[in-house]
Amino acid sequence: MQTRDWDIGTDIGGTFTDIIAVRSGSHETRIAKVPSRPDAPVQAMMEALAAVGLGADDVRRFVHGTTRVTNALVEERLPKVALVATAGFEDVLEIARYRRQELYRLDIPPKAPPLVPPSLCFGIAERLDHTGAVLTPLTEGEIERLVAWLKANAVQSVAICLLHSYANPAHEKRLAERLAGVVPHVCVSHEINPEAREYERASSTAFNAAAMPIAVEYLTELEERLPIGPGLQVFHSAGAMVPVPAVKRRPLVMAMSGPAAGVSASARIARDLARPRVLTFDMGGTTTDVCLIVDGAAEMTDTRMMGGRPLRQPMLAVHSIGAGGGSIVDLGPGGLTVGPKSAGAVPGPACYGRGGTRATITDANAILGYLDPEAVLGDTIRIDVGKAREAVQPIADRLGLGLAETALGIVKVANATMARALRRVTVERGVDGRDCTLLAFGGGGPMHATGLADLYGLREIIVPAASSAFSALGCLTADFSFLQQRTVRMALNGLSREVFAARVAELVAEARDPLIANGIPGDEIGVEHVALMRYAAQSDSIPIGFAMPLDPVRLEADFHARHHELFGYATGEDCVIEALRVKATKPSVTPFSRPDVGRPQVAGRSRPCIFGPEGPVETHILPRETLSGITTGPAIIEDAWSTVIVPPGWQARPDDLGNLFLTRSAS
């Protein structure tokens, strides 16, 4: 009889699906990679499970991050969706905001087309004011008119976004109840984004409605193939895991969930190693994701653009660019470019030997000697340097350069592209990135980390254990939590503590309910409170943590101090609490121990590698699990799933937990 004693973390990337399994009550760890299957992601996860020698009957807990919802939204592979809005506001998605996508590009449309076409937008006669008071009641006749219209248009999903429903959701709730048997999927804005800003709320609700059929089908299949009840969980974009039933209602929480998992694990390492400022550098097969961690906490954001449209919900401030190992290299009028197009999992880079013919960043790394031609990736892929050369040769010929020079150029362009991403999360937020530690993971992060550090001026790099499957590890070791946020618009001057406490209590109950429904005892759930505050004349707010019972004087002082830190000034103007954010959390009990990612290797290996214009240098190839003391470059450090480049002028030192610290060599 098999025992369910394995906890599983998986990350479905654009090229590989990573898995890490930890046995309960022991330090036994298994790691594997299998090629991703965009057409059958659940099958890829089952293949990953088999790759670590486990079956569904062995699994106690299964947590996964995925870009499936994000990719569907960005690529607009979406089902038919309708929008129901207050009469007179049904064109909110078409009007959008006044600003152009590109201010000086007149050759492209000024705005992205609306996610829901005008023909599928319905204006229903009802109206609330900003306090939630009813101005125009919602009548039964209007509901019947809507039902008839929806049946005539045969939509799969409907987004309901009524004016000021964040202040009073009664009309939205009534519509949702009546439409439950009319349309397969119904979502309401007061659950998705209960905040002011009508356009952003409507856009987010439409995104969620579009994602619901995809997410429900996908998660239902996963539940059928892994029938482990509450043990099946999903990583969400705010940096923790949530139960599947909650995700089916709010699939938007899966947007950017894979990158968020890596950031979550990074924040834990930043705290453990006492690094005050850390830049995460997650380079996968399709994208590179970066995020800033300050004092052990990752930066958060409320809004990000997806396909030129706003998606508003609290999430980790991960900045993504289309530059990963599988990013395709082009030569245009402006010179070499990498990404955003990717070879993906199929056919993949040319050196994978799966039919790819266009040059990628991975092919350049193979030509430079960084990748082991004897290694087998995902149990199926062996590096073919010859095919990499064939893919890069046409570009080299057009440039009039040799293969090695071209490959070095590709790597430099890739590093420059990724350095711009680092500037987005540091310089543009008033942080000197040169004072940060770079935490490099993902399949390509440890290979490009030193080049990026040289370009950006970073002094220290940390490559964590299991770096290639680090996002999967983040899924496994993250806290179990749920987050709620709502507009309240309360002036701090004259604030009623009783009213404020009541609003906080409502949010706390909503945030705790999904955890309690998943079997977590209420006394094990912690709660974090955040007020999103602004000066009365401002439009944007900043998050300020607080404790209950509220101390208004302390909250105001904290707001002034944070405003001064961010913007260089603070005033005596009146303060407003624009919104409240509450996070209910059950801390993780999964140990963050050193996983075994070694593989049998022959001692004393070396191969020629190219680090610069001086040409090939005979380079030591060292197994990561046997490292001790300081290793001076040039060297390549390998384990079963990752390659760490230590070029000339750099050195590497391991610690007891399997982390590698890369610094410049003493002159």
Side-chain angles (χ1 to χ4, degrees):
M1 180 179 177
Q2 290 178 303
T3 304
R4 295 186 181 275
D5 58 355
W6 286 88
D7 293 341
I8 310 295
T10 63
D11 174 37
I12 306 173
T15 304
F16 287 105
T17 293
D18 303 333
I19 184 168
I20 182 164
V22 177
R23 192 166 203 162
S24 177
S26 74
H27 293 289
E28 184 179 355
T29 305
R30 301 178 187 177
I31 297 178
K33 277 181 177 286
V34 299
S36 292
R37 299 183 58 167
D39 58 331
V42 175
Q43 180 60 28
M45 283 192 279
M46 301 309 294
E47 290 171 358
L49 195 60
V52 291
L54 299 174
D57 292 338
D58 299 305
V59 180
R60 181 184 68 168
R61 190 164 64 98
F62 190 98
V63 188
H64 79 290
T66 176
T67 57
R68 180 166 175 77
V69 167
T70 307
N71 292 344
L73 295 175
V74 171
E75 297 167 14
E76 300 195 7
R77 296 180 284 102
L78 301 170
K80 196 174 181 181
V81 178
L83 172 70
V84 178
T86 300
F89 293 83
E90 56 267 40
D91 52 2
V92 60
L93 295 181
E94 189 173 14
I95 294 174
R97 294 292 179 194
Y98 68 88
R99 51 182 175 267
R100 301 178 60 91
Q101 293 186 77
E102 296 285 347
L103 185 60
Y104 300 109
R105 290 283 305 275
L106 303 183
D107 58 325
I108 62 174
K111 305 174 186 177
L115 188 64
V116 181
S119 61
L120 291 178
C121 295
F122 184 92
I124 191 164
E126 67 82 45
R127 188 70 179 265
L128 307 173
D129 69 12
H130 69 283
T131 68
V134 177
L135 300 178
T136 303
L138 176 62
T139 66
E140 190 63 25
E142 276 297 286
I143 296 176
E144 291 298 332
R145 188 170 70 91
L146 170 61
V147 168
W149 181 82
L150 288 171
K151 288 180 177 179
N153 282 280
V155 295
Q156 286 185 257
S157 190
V158 60
I160 302 174
C161 184
L162 304 181
L163 195 65
H164 302 306
S165 61
Y166 59 87
N168 179 1
H171 287 181
E172 285 195 351
K173 288 182 176 180
R174 186 177 170 195
L175 284 178
E177 291 172 0
R178 289 295 308 275
L179 299 183
V182 178
V183 180
H185 304 283
V186 179
C187 70
V188 285
S189 71
H190 73 270
E191 291 184 357
I192 306 306
N193 179 227
E195 298 181 85
R197 299 174 186 262
E198 197 70 13
Y199 168 54
E200 285 78 6
R201 182 159 58 92
S203 177
S204 300
T205 307
F207 268 132
N208 194 81
M212 283 181 82
I214 299 167
V216 169
E217 178 184 1
Y218 160 66
L219 292 171
T220 299
E221 180 186 353
L222 187 57
E223 286 177 311
E224 291 171 351
R225 301 190 69 174
L226 273 175
I228 57 176
L232 185 60
Q233 297 150 10
V234 177
F235 203 87
H236 71 65
S237 54
M241 49 192 168
V242 291
V244 167
V247 178
K248 285 184 176 181
R249 291 184 62 83
R250 292 174 57 180
L252 276 191
V253 301
M254 286 197 291
M256 303 300 295
S257 68
V263 172
S264 176
S266 300
R268 189 162 174 177
I269 283 187
R271 293 191 296 269
D272 291 345
L273 298 178
R275 295 302 193 271
R277 289 184 175 180
V278 169
L279 283 168
T280 69
F281 172 44
D282 177 8
M283 183 178 177
T286 306
T287 62
T288 291
D289 306 301
V290 298
C291 187
L292 176 65
I293 296 172
V294 178
D295 296 329
E299 294 283 290
M300 297 283 291
T301 184
D302 289 321
T303 306
R304 70 176 299 130
M305 301 302 290
M306 190 167 290
R309 309 176 187 94
L311 188 163
R312 186 169 173 82
Q313 66 177 11
M315 63 187 81
L316 296 181
V318 178
H319 180 62
S320 298
I321 58 171
S327 293
I328 293 172
V329 181
D330 277 321
L331 180 59
L336 283 174
T337 60
V338 294
K341 293 181 180 178
S342 173
V346 180
C351 64
Y352 285 0
R354 307 182 76 193
T357 58
R358 300 188 67 181
T360 66
I361 297 173
T362 297
D363 294 314
N365 286 325
I367 290 170
L368 296 174
Y370 302 160
L371 299 175
D372 184 0
E374 302 301 320
V376 180
L377 306 176
D379 295 327
T380 58
I381 298 171
R382 190 180 296 274
I383 300 298
D384 188 331
V385 180
K387 291 189 180 299
R389 291 174 175 272
E390 292 174 7
V392 175
Q393 188 65 60
I395 296 176
D397 291 342
R398 291 171 61 190
L399 289 170
L401 300 174
L403 269 174
E405 292 173 289
T406 303
L408 282 171
I410 291 170
V411 169
K412 288 181 178 180
V413 169
N415 290 342
T417 301
M418 292 181 285
R420 288 196 294 271
L422 292 184
R423 293 188 183 97
R424 288 290 301 273
V425 300
T426 54
V427 175
E428 294 184 15
R429 297 181 189 177
V431 173
D432 188 343
R434 295 171 297 181
D435 296 333
C436 299
T437 294
L438 188 70
L439 190 70
F441 54 96
M447 284 195 289
H448 288 259
T450 54
L452 190 59
D454 283 335
L455 192 62
Y456 199 69
L458 298 162
R459 293 185 289 271
E460 182 186 50
I461 299 166
I462 299 175
V463 181
S467 58
S468 187
F470 198 60
S471 290
L473 182 63
C475 287
L476 193 57
T477 59
D479 296 335
F480 195 22
S481 77
F482 202 75
L483 187 148
Q484 287 287 80
Q485 182 168 310
R486 178 170 298 154
T487 293
V488 294
R489 286 179 173 165
M490 294 180 172
L492 197 58
N493 184 22
L495 177 71
S496 167
R497 297 193 189 188
E498 292 76 16
V499 173
F500 182 84
R503 301 299 294 271
V504 171
E506 291 174 7
L507 278 178
V508 169
E510 292 175 11
R512 284 165 51 93
D513 281 349
L515 276 64
I516 293 173
N518 218 51
I520 296 177
D523 59 0
E524 295 182 10
I525 299 174
V527 176
E528 299 175 18
H529 309 90
V530 173
L532 283 85
M533 300 183 64
R534 58 177 173 82
Y535 289 119
Q538 289 178 321
S539 58
D540 292 325
S541 55
I542 58 177
I544 307 296
F546 66 92
M548 293 294 290
L550 179 69
D551 180 350
V553 175
R554 172 68 181 274
L555 181 62
E556 183 175 15
D558 289 346
F559 169 69
H560 289 314
R562 181 59 175 157
H563 197 281
H564 190 278
E565 180 182 355
L566 287 173
F567 305 111
Y569 74 95
T571 74
E573 298 174 61
D574 289 339
C575 303
V576 174
I577 301 175
E578 175 70 14
L580 291 173
R581 178 188 301 162
V582 167
K583 183 177 181 181
T585 303
K586 165 66 168 66
S588 171
V589 295
T590 303
F592 202 79
S593 58
R594 174 178 181 170
D596 179 12
V597 293
R599 68 179 180 195
Q601 293 198 10
V602 178
R605 293 190 309 142
S606 67
R607 63 174 176 264
C609 297
I610 302 170
F611 300 99
E614 64 276 1
V617 177
E618 197 64 24
T619 303
H620 294 295
I621 312 300
L622 305 172
R624 183 166 178 172
E625 69 274 13
T626 63
L627 286 183
S628 62
I630 295 176
T631 298
T632 302
I636 290 181
I637 300 170
E638 295 179 341
D639 61 32
W641 306 111
S642 64
T643 300
V644 183
I645 304 298
V646 187
W650 283 80
Q651 61 187 21
R653 172 184 58 83
D655 69 2
D656 293 337
L657 294 177
N659 301 304
L660 278 179
F661 297 81
L662 275 61
T663 55
R664 290 181 180 83
S665 303
S667 56

